[in-house]
Amino acid sequence: VIHGADQGGDARMDSARSSAAVRHSIAIDPGALVDERRVHRDVYTDSLVFDAEMQRIFRRTWIYVGHESEVLNPGDYKTTTVGREPVILVRDDSQALRVLVNRCTHRGATVCQPSAGRTSAFRCSYHGWTFGLAGNPLGVAFADGYVDAKDAVRSLAQAPRVESYRGFVFASFNPDVPVLTDHLRPVLPYIDLFVEASAGFDIAVAKDAYDVIYDGNWKMQLENGVDGYHLNFTHQSTFPVVQQRTGSNSRYLTNSSQTQGTVQAFSSGQSIMDMRTIAVGILRKRLDILPNAPPAGADLDAFYGIQRGEDAYLSTAGSGVAVNIFPNLQLGSSNICEIHPIAVDRTRVILRPVLLSGAPDAVNRVRLRYHEFGSGPAGFVQPDDLEMFERAQTGMAAEAVEWLDLSRGSTRESVGPEDQRIGQITDEAPLRALYRWWRELMETTV
Ligand code: FES
Ligand SMILES: [Fe+2]
């Protein structure tokens, strides 16, 4: 789906000017920072590298900005970011989705403050300039001070490309970026799986989210989504709790054999972690110990009063495949994870629960409890990951050791068509693919 393709050239011209200014100020050598099996610490710690990433990655490729269920009706909006740029995802009066730069064309103030809402216009609070849902100027306060008030006010800048796939909306400030479905092609079947783990209901993003800032580089969250190696160790506090409540082992991995799942890496930095062979039974146990879980042995169709009650309950744990979409989206479990880089050592992560639209409240309550189990402030999964990211950022302050090792599984991964790599679930094949793509983007200036 291609949205809002009819806007003017202002945004494009602004974008070209600012990229020229930044490009000339950044002198780094990306090729010296990554090789096939390792990454230099500067990739996580050097603010010049971060500035170059914002320009060469976040203004250049497709960036996830939201799900269509967050902006269902004209006037519905959500504020978010494309790299460091504040933007507004909004559905305009003609139903088109637009990504407006949240920056008043008068003197720079953001024109929209809430994280989400519904409006008929965006009015800047500083001096009152007002813009329509398509970013068009609606009015200048005290227009008599301008020779021609109509000329004085300019449209909000906007992303020249906005496209979506199965409800996932992406924007790009690069007018020449390939069509979205080409960019996503290798992971399209896994996005489909995520959307279809819904017992026949449409998915809808919950209004509230787990929103956190950690003191570490943005790529740590991205890497971690397809890192099967850390599960048994970072998340070890989960296992005795589940074991105590259910009386049986709840570890994902008992050894690192391939039969326990795979990681697969594709072009454009995309990857998946496929846990379908190991996760289904274990995740079911986690569901069963949640508050609001149905009584053991209950007929779930009768319990929830719907035909696919059992499917709806089990869909809470997701498809069993975690999907990493470079550079800022992760789909896993029944969560959408947005990655927002703030600075080289500071990142905001928003984990949004996905609910089933029109399903009984009791079904969606289990989804929220499961989200809290993993991602809440006292959750068993995400808080432990964040702690590891901060430890890594702290450790990498050490100049005595320059390189990080990404070699795990590099001699046993299989190479398929179009450079697809398949490894055992604890292998670092997705990270190596991520940095091959990172280097390609970072070495090319537009
Ligand atoms: S900065 Fe927005 S009206 Fe002046
Ligand atoms: Fe984790």
Side-chain angles (χ1 to χ4, degrees):
V1 183
I2 298 174
H3 307 281
D6 61 331
Q7 53 178 322
D10 279 4
R12 243 166 277 181
M13 280 168 52
D14 286 351
S15 148
R17 269 196 293 273
S18 66
S19 55
V22 175
R23 190 167 65 241
H24 292 135
S25 68
I26 302 173
I28 58 161
D29 180 3
L33 298 176
V34 299
D35 61 33
E36 256 305 299
R37 295 176 194 183
R38 51 180 206 166
V39 181
H40 194 273
R41 63 183 279 277
D42 284 359
V43 166
Y44 302 87
T45 60
D46 183 341
S47 55
L48 280 184
V49 171
F50 180 82
D51 289 344
E53 288 175 334
M54 293 306 103
Q55 192 65 26
R56 297 174 199 172
I57 297 174
F58 281 83
R59 284 188 65 87
R60 176 97 155 280
T61 185
W62 286 106
I63 304 300
Y64 174 71
V65 289
H67 188 264
E68 290 192 32
S69 61
E70 294 173 274
V71 284
L72 272 181
N73 300 299
D76 286 353
Y77 67 82
K78 163 195 181 182
T79 51
T80 182
T81 62
V82 171
R84 274 183 298 205
E85 314 223 3
V87 298
I88 310 164
L89 168 65
V90 60
R91 191 177 292 274
D92 74 15
D93 291 315
S94 68
Q95 295 282 349
L97 292 174
R98 293 181 181 270
V99 173
L100 309 175
V101 178
N102 193 2
R103 188 263 192 221
C104 182
T105 48
H106 178 224
R107 276 170 35 205
T110 51
V111 297
C112 181
Q113 318 314 318
S115 57
R118 183 177 297 175
T119 189
S120 55
F122 300 105
R123 182 173 181 273
C124 179
S125 299
Y126 203 176
H127 314 91
W129 285 25
T130 306
F131 305 88
L133 298 177
N136 50 304
L138 289 180
V140 179
F142 302 153
D144 59 326
Y146 295 98
V147 177
D148 183 342
K150 272 209 208 74
D151 274 4
V153 60
R154 299 177 65 210
S155 296
L156 295 176
Q158 57 190 293
R161 299 281 298 276
V162 179
E163 295 176 19
S164 64
Y165 178 73
R166 298 210 70 173
F168 295 91
V169 187
F170 294 73
S172 183
F173 281 101
N174 174 6
D176 303 319
V177 72
V179 295
L180 178 67
T181 45
D182 277 359
H183 174 70
L184 298 177
R185 192 177 40 76
V187 288
L188 293 178
Y190 302 103
I191 298 176
D192 293 346
L193 271 183
F194 181 85
V195 171
E196 288 159 13
S198 66
F201 291 97
D202 287 337
I203 60 171
V205 176
K207 291 257 176 291
D208 294 312
Y210 174 50
D211 184 339
V212 68
I213 290 175
Y214 68 86
D215 288 329
N217 188 268
W218 64 274
K219 297 184 293 300
M220 292 171 176
Q221 173 69 47
L222 188 65
E223 294 168 9
N224 189 68
V226 283
D227 176 346
Y229 198 16
H230 82 290
L231 296 173
N232 272 17
F233 310 101
T234 301
H235 303 303
Q236 62 177 295
S237 65
T238 319
F239 308 119
V241 172
V242 179
Q243 177 141 5
Q244 194 184 24
R245 300 281 300 275
T246 65
S248 57
N249 172 51
S250 74
R251 258 171 229 283
Y252 294 118
L253 310 177
T254 49
N255 59 56
S256 65
S257 92
Q258 179 138 25
T259 57
Q260 291 198 308
T262 58
V263 283
Q264 296 185 41
F266 308 101
S267 55
S268 312
Q270 324 296 13
S271 56
I272 61 157
M273 181 164 68
D274 186 346
M275 301 176 70
R276 282 174 290 186
T277 54
I278 51 173
V280 174
I282 283 173
L283 296 177
R284 166 87 198 228
K285 284 181 203 159
R286 290 189 182 179
L287 294 180
D288 288 344
I289 64 168
L290 296 173
N292 302 126
D299 173 339
L300 294 183
D301 293 4
F303 184 79
Y304 289 120
I306 53 175
Q307 276 184 356
R308 293 178 62 188
E310 169 120 23
D311 286 352
Y313 177 65
L314 293 178
S315 76
T316 305
S319 71
V321 180
V323 191
N324 242 28
I325 298 171
F326 185 90
N328 75 326
L329 171 64
Q330 298 177 305
L331 307 177
S333 191
S334 46
N335 302 322
I336 293 173
C337 176
E338 303 171 0
I339 302 172
H340 301 269
I342 297 171
V344 69
D345 55 359
R346 204 161 168 79
T347 306
R348 181 180 183 195
V349 173
I350 305 179
L351 269 152
R352 299 184 187 276
V354 170
L355 304 180
L356 303 184
S357 180
D361 288 349
V363 168
N364 283 324
R365 267 200 296 275
V366 172
R367 289 191 158 237
L368 292 175
R369 298 295 87 79
Y370 191 62
H371 181 73
E372 291 157 3
F373 176 93
S375 307
F380 281 101
V381 185
Q382 178 76 352
D384 292 340
D385 291 323
L386 298 174
E387 175 64 22
M388 294 306 147
F389 305 159
E390 295 198 342
R391 290 183 191 184
Q393 196 75 30
T394 301
M396 281 190 283
E399 292 184 19
V401 188
E402 290 186 77
W403 293 89
L404 287 80
D405 184 316
L406 303 181
S407 68
R408 185 175 173 79
S410 60
T411 55
R412 65 183 180 191
E413 70 186 14
S414 62
V415 183
E418 298 184 50
D419 210 24
Q420 179 189 6
R421 312 285 174 110
I422 303 179
Q424 298 184 9
I425 191 165
T426 62
D427 289 351
E428 286 161 341
L431 310 194
R432 291 188 289 276
L434 190 162
Y435 283 102
R436 275 194 294 277
W437 181 238
W438 182 92
R439 177 175 170 172
E440 195 166 320
L441 288 176
M442 291 288 283
E443 280 189 325
T444 326
T445 48
V446 212

